[in-house]
Amino acid sequence: MKHLKPTLMAALLGATALGMMTTGASAKDLRIGLQSDADVLDPDQSRTFVGRIVYASLCDKLVDITPDLEIIPQLATAWQVSEDGMTVTMQLREGVVFHDGTPFNAEAVAANIERSKTLDESRRKSELSSITSTEVTGEYEIKLNLKGPDATLLAQLADRAGMMMSPTAAATAGVDFGLNPVCSGPFSFEERVAQDKIVLKRFPDYWNADKIAFDSVTFLPIPDTTVRLANLQSGDIDMLERLAATDLAQANADANIAVADAVSLGYQGITFNLNNGEKGDNPWGNDARLRQAFSYAIDRNAINQVVFEGAFAAGNQPYPPTSPWYDADYPVPGRDVAKAKELLAEAGYPDGLELEVQVPNTTVPLQLMQVVQAMAAEAGIDVKIVSKEFATLLADQSAGDYTASQIGWSGRVDPDGNIHQFMTTNGGLNDSKYSNPAVDEALNAARVASSTEARKASYDAARDVLVEESPIVYLYHQTWIWAHNTNLEGFTAYPDGMIRLEGVTWNE
């Protein structure tokens, strides 16, 4: 595989080239092919991975990460955590304005945090639940008061919970903010045509404008991986995210295409509806033995080889086996069809039963589920695949209109981001409506633990329960693979899968 390895010298030369580009001829419109369409463009309400890719160009955050997962400044230039862990004081970048001209300052940060915590539709509530109040201690300084030490907070602020929206626009639009999002990133919102395109234009007053080399960036949802690659090869797009592992050889053989990759922080699996509305009252939601049987019927290593040509990693937890947070007491299980049949019989289904699984209508998830379908059938589980456009799938999952859902999570820097909001009672992304006091206690304790060892012990305690109850059956951990025209220079692959355009140039 060809990899991009930008050096410091290349970055410096790129910065010089950027200065020349922004003062010379009109820069290029960058066209990026996405695997699916984004959901609502409101950082408080959204949940799609591709939405986060759009936000990387639209909405700056308080902090960001390096490719090595170090937390670094973005709109906050420095921060201090009090000795008792009860406050975080942040110094903010001066001279920043939102796309509507509203100034960015401490009052704006306070308004954003208040909205994230109180908007009825906000999915960020659990991510910021440790913040009890904010204090504006200066025009560009804010203090976050916490109910207890929170080891996860900075990592949360490196994602949607830390994305800053214009308080003027947010107050005016309310729940409809996503129709015309106003942030402070390098590009501002221009237009959106559902299932067709999202267009952002260069924001001339961006605080780091010298590092932006494009007049606009257009995101184009192209669900079929083969079509997405064909569009790249024909020049209709300049870059694509999530190149299929089966297309790697073809991409690497094209002299006009460069490939970059990074091991992801997330997972893919099957989420079961346990108690989300009327559809939660189903055999699969009511009996953990059925979910365990389904897990035993699956050969995770075979999935990796058959569907992904060995490029990914088999998984059975929210973190990959290579993660320091992985619970080694529960390794990836081997396939055991006999055990699956035994559990089905114990649950009262010796002749098997049907399982309806909703699946995104994109190439890879459908291929995955066809393999899973064949494996489950050997144990007596009749998997019925229901293909849906991804935003529809998410809406149905949130509303409880599903029995099981093939869905994943792009992953977060801190382990809390991969499990807390999915597994705690009333968690913002707990579409199973799973609830167990022991799991709540363990995961809440991990948030306030004073050491890595104590946090690990709490996550392991949660795993002791979750391995039996299996509201999510984890299948694999993917590697992010990007492909782009070789004229695009300076792109760096990040484990979070985002496309950061600062320092990226186009050279014919």
Side-chain angles (χ1 to χ4, degrees):
M1 184 184 299
K2 293 177 289 188
H3 299 264
L4 296 180
K5 298 180 180 178
T7 63
L8 177 59
M9 182 58 71
L12 292 172
L13 291 173
T16 303
L18 280 167
M20 295 173 63
M21 289 187 70
T22 55
T23 57
S26 179
K28 177 181 171 58
D29 169 38
L30 185 67
R31 296 157 299 176
I32 300 176
L34 303 177
Q35 181 168 289
S36 57
D37 198 12
D39 59 347
V40 58
L41 292 178
D42 180 338
D44 279 337
Q45 298 185 62
S46 65
R47 60 182 294 175
T48 59
F49 174 69
V50 292
R52 292 174 63 222
I53 294 176
V54 175
Y55 290 141
S57 293
L58 181 67
C59 300
D60 274 3
K61 303 163 292 191
L62 289 173
V63 294
D64 200 8
I65 62 170
T66 69
D68 296 323
L69 305 182
E70 176 189 0
I71 303 291
I72 58 172
Q74 193 167 65
L75 291 178
T77 57
W79 50 89
Q80 301 82 39
V81 180
S82 63
E83 188 172 342
D84 61 4
M86 296 296 289
T87 64
V88 178
T89 302
M90 308 191 94
Q91 286 74 47
L92 306 175
R93 190 175 300 280
E94 299 183 24
V96 176
V97 294
F98 292 98
H99 299 148
D100 61 357
T102 300
F104 169 77
N105 51 29
E107 293 285 358
V109 175
N112 270 266
I113 290 174
E114 177 69 13
R115 183 180 192 266
S116 296
K117 288 175 62 66
T118 61
L119 183 73
D120 287 344
E121 295 80 6
S122 175
R123 296 184 179 277
R124 311 282 81 87
K125 293 176 183 177
S126 64
E127 298 168 15
L128 299 178
S129 61
S130 64
I131 300 177
T132 57
S133 64
T134 60
E135 294 181 44
V136 174
T137 52
E139 186 176 3
Y140 297 103
E141 183 177 272
I142 188 167
K143 180 184 290 186
L144 311 180
N145 297 312
L146 312 182
K147 64 183 178 183
D150 185 355
T152 77
L153 184 57
L154 282 176
Q156 302 287 13
L157 296 178
D159 205 336
R160 278 175 288 216
M163 292 177 185
M164 294 291 103
M165 298 168 274
S166 164
T168 304
T172 301
V175 72
D176 293 326
F177 176 86
L179 298 176
N180 185 26
V182 181
C183 294
S184 65
F187 297 88
S188 62
F189 181 77
E190 178 76 3
E191 68 169 321
R192 179 177 191 176
V193 179
Q195 305 303 320
D196 181 43
K197 63 182 178 180
I198 296 172
V199 182
L200 310 181
K201 63 180 179 180
R202 189 174 188 273
F203 180 48
D205 294 327
Y206 183 55
W207 63 270
N208 203 20
D210 287 347
K211 294 292 182 68
I212 303 301
F214 302 100
D215 277 344
S216 62
V217 55
T218 299
F219 297 95
L220 303 161
I222 308 172
D224 189 288
T225 56
T226 302
V227 174
R228 206 153 64 244
L229 178 56
N231 274 261
L232 178 62
Q233 292 180 305
S234 69
D236 289 332
I237 61 174
D238 306 307
M239 184 179 197
L240 64 82
E241 56 95 14
R242 278 178 287 181
L243 178 74
T246 50
D247 290 333
L248 264 174
Q250 182 179 348
N252 279 323
D254 191 324
N256 296 315
I257 292 178
V259 174
D261 68 278
V263 177
S264 81
L265 304 171
Y267 62 81
Q268 288 285 330
I270 307 289
T271 295
F272 288 87
N273 186 350
L274 273 61
N275 195 34
N276 190 349
E278 293 181 2
K279 279 201 169 183
D281 186 12
N282 69 81
W284 294 95
N286 294 336
D287 197 329
R289 291 172 296 184
L290 296 180
R291 302 190 294 274
Q292 293 170 19
F294 177 82
S295 180
Y296 276 115
I298 305 306
D299 188 330
R300 292 164 171 81
N301 288 308
I303 286 173
N304 184 35
Q305 295 301 323
V306 172
V307 183
F308 307 114
E309 298 191 358
F312 295 172
N316 67 322
Q317 297 181 30
Y319 337 104
T322 54
S323 169
W325 303 103
Y326 187 81
D327 190 344
D329 289 341
Y330 302 101
V332 176
R335 189 186 191 208
D336 191 336
V337 174
K339 180 66 173 177
K341 290 181 176 180
E342 177 185 326
L343 287 166
L344 290 174
E346 285 182 12
Y349 298 92
D351 298 323
L353 77 166
E354 180 180 301
L355 172 62
E356 182 180 281
V357 183
Q358 63 172 7
V359 184
N361 65 340
T362 52
T363 310
V364 173
L366 288 169
Q367 290 174 343
L368 166 70
M369 283 310 303
Q370 287 163 2
V371 174
V372 169
Q373 183 183 52
M375 290 177 174
E378 295 182 18
I381 300 171
D382 181 16
V383 173
K384 300 295 185 185
I385 298 174
V386 179
S387 175
K388 297 182 180 180
E389 188 275 322
F390 190 60
T392 301
L393 179 145
L394 277 180
D396 289 348
Q397 186 173 303
S398 297
D401 188 13
Y402 77 105
T403 301
S405 186
Q406 196 289 294
I407 195 169
W409 181 242
S410 55
R412 296 297 181 267
V413 175
D414 190 274
D416 179 89
N418 278 22
I419 188 169
H420 190 280
Q421 56 192 335
F422 297 95
M423 296 298 177
T424 53
T425 304
N426 298 322
L429 297 175
N430 185 354
D431 294 331
S432 291
K433 299 305 179 187
Y434 172 75
S435 180
N436 186 302
V439 172
D440 290 350
E441 181 180 358
L443 296 182
N444 288 330
R447 283 188 157 185
V448 301
S450 58
S451 69
T452 298
E453 293 75 17
R455 295 190 76 197
K456 179 66 163 61
S458 291
Y459 289 126
D460 288 352
R463 175 55 35 195
D464 290 339
V465 179
L466 292 170
V467 74
E468 296 295 327
E469 300 195 340
S470 298
I472 297 178
V473 173
Y474 303 96
L475 297 178
Y476 69 92
H477 305 275
Q478 68 189 96
T479 295
W480 302 128
I481 309 174
W482 297 264
H484 60 81
N485 190 296
T486 52
N487 290 337
L488 189 75
E489 299 179 357
F491 172 71
T492 300
Y494 279 70
D496 64 358
M498 298 299 100
I499 298 174
R500 293 166 172 83
L501 294 179
E502 287 86 351
V504 179
T505 61
W506 184 271
N507 293 303
E508 296 288 353

